């Protein structure tokens, strides 16, 4: 894992709908590919507020966030968790935040500014309990899809 670094949050929100910042799509496609399609894209861009938080804009409106889902099979959850572990361990790929909605009662989240998981003890992310993974990447990664590809190639080949 990298050293702690600042979390961007919604500082660059919203972005125009087009052109998209291609790094998020490359990052998501890699997560899907390296799980053999177990993870599936549930969405990238949306100019909207955070779920359950009116007036608080979502990082999805920056082209830096995407959601992935997986089916209810135990093996699918295991593969999803393996990919989550890989991305967090290699957060230098461009990871800023990752939310796992299906852990515990209220989910859990990892952030680059704390370099650890927090298991939520109250409603923090919405919708809780779903087989959903929310990923946010750095502005640099969002704007440089070729760099995302290079970093993934390096990580997959052992770093």
């Amino acid at each position: 894992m990298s050293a702690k670094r600042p979390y961007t949050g919604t500082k660059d929100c919203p972005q125009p709908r087009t052109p998209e910042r291609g790094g998020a799509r490359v990052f998501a496609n890699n997560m899907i590919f390296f799980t053999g399609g177990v993870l599936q894209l549930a969405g990238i861009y949306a100019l909207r507020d955070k779920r359950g938080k009116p007036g608080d804009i979502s990082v999805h409106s920056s082209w830096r966030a995407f959601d992935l889902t997986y089916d209810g099979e135990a093996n699918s959850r295991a593969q999803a968790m393996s990919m989550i572990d890989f991305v967090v361990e290699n957060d230098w790929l461009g990871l800023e935040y990752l939310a796992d909605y299906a852990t515990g009662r209220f989910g859990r989240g990892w952030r680059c500014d704390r370099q650890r998981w927090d298991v939520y003890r109250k409603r923090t992310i919405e919708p809780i309990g779903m087989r959903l993974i929310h990923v946010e990447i750095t502005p640099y990664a969002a704007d440089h899809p070729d760099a995302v590809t290079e970093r993934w190639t390096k990580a997959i080949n052992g770093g």
Side-chain angles (χ1 to χ4, degrees):
M1 271 192 277
S2 304
K4 290 181 184 178
R5 51 194 157 66
Y7 171 67
T8 305
T10 57
K11 291 178 186 142
D12 61 350
C13 294
Q15 293 284 327
R17 182 163 177 83
T18 56
E20 74 176 63
R21 297 166 88 180
R25 191 169 303 278
V26 171
F27 203 107
N29 286 344
N30 281 323
M31 291 182 74
I32 293 164
F33 178 80
F34 289 109
T35 59
V38 167
L39 291 175
Q40 292 294 309
L41 186 64
I44 293 184
Y45 181 85
L47 181 55
R48 64 170 175 79
D49 291 341
K50 293 177 184 174
R51 286 187 181 96
K53 297 183 179 179
D56 192 359
I57 198 160
S58 169
V59 177
H60 283 280
S61 70
S62 72
W63 281 107
R64 292 187 302 102
F66 58 90
D67 295 325
L68 300 167
T69 189
Y70 53 94
D71 67 31
E73 300 296 320
N75 187 48
S76 295
R77 172 77 178 161
Q79 286 182 284
M81 293 305 97
S82 180
M83 178 52 64
I84 285 174
D85 291 344
F86 175 81
V87 171
V88 167
E89 186 63 33
N90 295 285
D91 68 308
W92 53 270
L93 293 167
L95 181 66
E96 278 203 353
Y97 176 72
L98 193 148
D100 168 19
Y101 290 72
T103 293
R105 184 171 176 204
F106 297 111
R108 66 181 177 149
W110 179 95
R111 259 180 46 174
C112 61
D113 59 348
R114 62 180 181 236
Q115 289 288 312
R116 68 170 170 31
W117 285 100
D118 281 351
V119 176
Y120 300 130
R121 307 224 180 279
K122 62 179 181 157
R123 281 183 152 347
T124 304
I125 55 177
E126 295 288 341
I128 60 172
M130 290 187 65
R131 294 181 301 271
L132 188 69
I133 300 164
H134 171 85
V135 179
E136 296 174 18
I137 63 172
T138 65
Y140 179 83
D143 292 332
H144 296 88
D146 290 343
V148 172
T149 298
E150 287 176 27
R151 290 176 180 184
W152 271 83
T153 300
K154 183 177 179 183
I156 293 298
N157 291 325

